Amino acid sequence: MMKKVLVFALSLLAITGLSAQQHSIIEDVLVSSVEKKIFSMQELIGFDDAQAGQLRKMELNFLLEVNKAENCFLCNKRKRIKKLKQKRDAELQKILERDQYVKYDAIENERIRKRPLWSN
């Protein structure tokens, strides 16, 4: 009996460790993605470093929450993600000035194209 409990506890510990490692990899990828996105948007739109810092934090939090919602077993994923998008949109409008927000939204939703950095 004691042996079964020990094996179960070790198995649970191993699964938890693998899950934490996977979470770390996903988070690293999301951080890298957010960094690239905000750097690109800052060059295109011209918001300041303080706004860029706020956007990095907000975008990373949004992506982590979406990831969490997508992996939730008993959640209404579509409804949760819709709420997260609405919250993100409201935060974007608080961080950016109106014209910056319009440009950010248009670029992100591909209503206008991003110019390559090497073109004039």
Side-chain angles (χ1 to χ4, degrees), residues 12-66:
L12 189 61
L13 188 60
I15 290 171
T16 305
L18 289 175
S19 176
Q21 185 178 16
Q22 183 181 9
H23 174 73
S24 177
I25 293 169
I26 290 170
E27 191 169 340
D28 289 346
V29 169
L30 293 177
V31 167
S32 175
S33 173
V34 167
E35 287 292 328
K36 289 177 186 175
K37 176 181 179 178
I38 298 303
F39 178 77
S40 174
M41 289 292 208
Q42 189 174 17
E43 285 194 338
L44 292 168
I45 299 170
F47 45 82
D48 63 35
D49 291 340
Q51 289 170 307
Q54 291 176 311
L55 289 170
R56 278 186 197 92
K57 183 178 176 183
M58 185 268 311
E59 289 284 7
L60 180 59
N61 185 49
F62 169 73
L63 292 175
L64 290 171
E65 289 296 320
V66 167

Side-chain angles (χ1 to χ4, degrees), residues 17-117:
L18 289 175
S19 176
Q21 185 178 16
Q22 183 181 9
H23 174 73
S24 177
I25 293 169
I26 290 170
E27 191 169 340
D28 289 346
V29 169
L30 293 177
V31 167
S32 175
S33 173
V34 167
E35 287 292 328
K36 289 177 186 175
K37 176 181 179 178
I38 298 303
F39 178 77
S40 174
M41 289 292 208
Q42 189 174 17
E43 285 194 338
L44 292 168
I45 299 170
F47 45 82
D48 63 35
D49 291 340
Q51 289 170 307
Q54 291 176 311
L55 289 170
R56 278 186 197 92
K57 183 178 176 183
M58 185 268 311
E59 289 284 7
L60 180 59
N61 185 49
F62 169 73
L63 292 175
L64 290 171
E65 289 296 320
V66 167
N67 184 49
K68 197 183 304 181
E70 287 178 344
N71 294 315
C72 183
F73 181 67
L74 297 174
C75 303
N76 183 340
K77 296 173 187 176
R78 228 178 295 151
K79 186 176 180 181
R80 179 71 183 134
I81 292 172
K82 183 179 178 181
K83 284 183 180 181
L84 289 169
K85 286 181 180 180
Q86 290 171 342
K87 180 183 174 191
R88 177 184 168 270
D89 190 61
E91 288 179 18
L92 274 173
Q93 291 182 42
K94 288 179 186 175
I95 295 169
L96 298 172
E97 296 171 11
R98 179 73 183 149
D99 63 322
Q100 293 171 331
Y101 167 76
V102 169
K103 290 175 188 176
Y104 192 99
D105 185 60
I107 292 168
E108 188 167 60
N109 293 303
E110 297 181 355
R111 288 189 288 263
I112 61 173
R113 282 191 175 175
K114 292 189 278 186
R115 281 189 309 156
L117 298 175

